[in-house]
Each structure stands twice: as structure tokens, then as C-alpha cells.
Amino acid sequence: MTTSSRALGDLFDAFENEAFRLETLDDYSKSGNVDAYRAFRAGKPQPDDYNANWVQEVRSHTEKGKRIYRVHVLTRPLTEYLRYELGWGYRKNMSGGEEFFILDTTDSSNPLEDVPDFWFFDSKFVAVMNYDGAGKFAGSEVLSSDRVTEFIEYRDAALAHAEPFVEWWAKHGV
């Protein structure tokens, strides 16, 4: 069943323990904060209020003991967009308590080949994130509960092969 972003938002608002995100694309530049990406590309400094609404949203959950975390599957060298997302986005979002992990497949095979981007809430609800070829968000699809086990396996494989972002960034960040 395909749903709107609002349905995804409802899932995000209602989760009780954890929200996990798998990111698999090298470019989401047509989604989210396009103006901030332009500023990054122009060499401007990150605004103090960058991502403030998301950081506040994350903090509202993490202060209640909920976990929000994600794994990004990527290869080096980083695309310009990934330098922006990791350098500006991840580092800022950590201030709200979001956790990040990197599954770097530069020197190894991708254990999640052909797995789509998704959000996974409380190991119960899966929302697959759909993007067009240019990285523009094209909607989400909430999957039936009979697919939950499959996505538990994807999440667990991602975490088993990933390393904490801070450690990865210290070695490979730009």
C-alpha cells in the first residue's frame, strides 16, 4: 500500500522505542534542504540554525529514551552530495542524539545489494522510501507486516557490516 509522507510522519511520531533508517543513495540533492546544499556547494559556512527542526524532532524522541539511528551504504570517493550530507547533516543531527553508522563498500561487496532505502519502526513497521533517478523523494510505501522479518535481516546485516560514523569520519572525512 503506497502512502503519503504524512503517513510516514505518523509512523515516526508514534514509534515507541526505535526508528532505524537505511540510506543507499549517493545523492538526495533533489529532496530536503536544497538551499542548504547550494550554500555548501558555494563554500558558505553552515548556518547556525541548519536542520534545526529535524534536530529538535530527534531530540524530542531521544530525550524520552527512544533511539533514532541510521546506516548509510556508500563507496569512496564521496560524491559532493555525500560530503554535504555527512559533513553538515550527520554532524549536526548528532547534537539531537541521532546515531549514524557507515557501511563502506569501497573495498568489499555490498551485503545489501538491491535493498531499498527504508525507515523501520520498533521492528514492526516498514516504510520503503522511493526516489527518482535524480534523488528526488517520490513517496513512501508502508509494507505489510509479513515483510517485517525480511527487514529485520536487512537492518541487522547493515549494522553488522557498518562502523560508527565518528570513527569512519575520522579516517575518511573531508
Side-chain angles (χ1 to χ4, degrees):
M1 122 180 171
T2 302
T3 63
S4 68
S5 295
R6 181 159 167 70
L8 174 63
D10 292 343
L11 286 173
F12 199 90
D13 291 341
F15 82 95
E16 296 176 1
N17 297 304
E18 65 176 39
F20 172 80
R21 172 83 157 100
L22 181 71
E23 294 180 306
T24 63
L25 301 180
D26 291 333
D27 188 346
Y28 297 91
S29 62
K30 304 292 188 270
S31 300
N33 197 335
V34 176
D35 292 335
Y37 181 50
R38 283 190 197 117
F40 171 84
R41 292 181 70 198
K44 295 181 180 178
Q46 184 183 59
D48 291 337
D49 64 349
Y50 173 76
N51 253 10
N53 290 339
W54 178 250
V55 171
Q56 181 179 356
E57 173 78 16
V58 168
R59 187 175 289 119
S60 76
H61 293 291
T62 59
E63 286 179 343
K64 295 174 187 169
K66 298 177 185 181
R67 184 180 189 199
I68 300 174
Y69 60 120
R70 65 179 77 199
V71 172
H72 199 129
V73 181
L74 56 75
T75 59
R76 291 176 276 113
L78 297 178
T79 63
E80 184 173 40
Y81 180 82
L82 285 177
R83 287 193 308 274
Y84 157 74
E85 181 178 308
L86 278 57
W88 274 28
Y90 283 16
R91 293 172 63 200
K92 181 72 167 202
N93 295 354
M94 288 168 45
S95 69
E98 189 169 3
E99 300 171 54
F100 296 93
F101 300 85
I102 301 296
L103 197 167
D104 188 337
T105 60
T106 302
D107 299 319
S108 60
S109 62
N110 182 351
L112 299 171
E113 193 71 38
D114 299 323
V115 173
D117 279 42
F118 64 90
W119 274 103
F120 195 26
F121 303 94
D122 294 328
S123 299
K124 295 178 186 176
F125 304 102
V126 178
V128 170
M129 309 297 285
N130 299 304
Y131 295 88
D132 69 14
K136 182 177 181 183
F137 182 62
S140 61
E141 179 182 359
V142 177
L143 302 182
S144 64
S145 60
D146 64 339
R147 304 269 317 265
V148 166
T149 301
E150 172 187 354
F151 283 82
I152 288 172
E153 291 173 7
Y154 295 152
R155 181 202 55 209
D156 292 352
L159 290 167
H161 292 90
E163 67 180 294
F165 168 72
V166 172
E167 294 172 18
W168 184 89
W169 189 255
K171 291 185 282 189
H172 304 291
V174 291

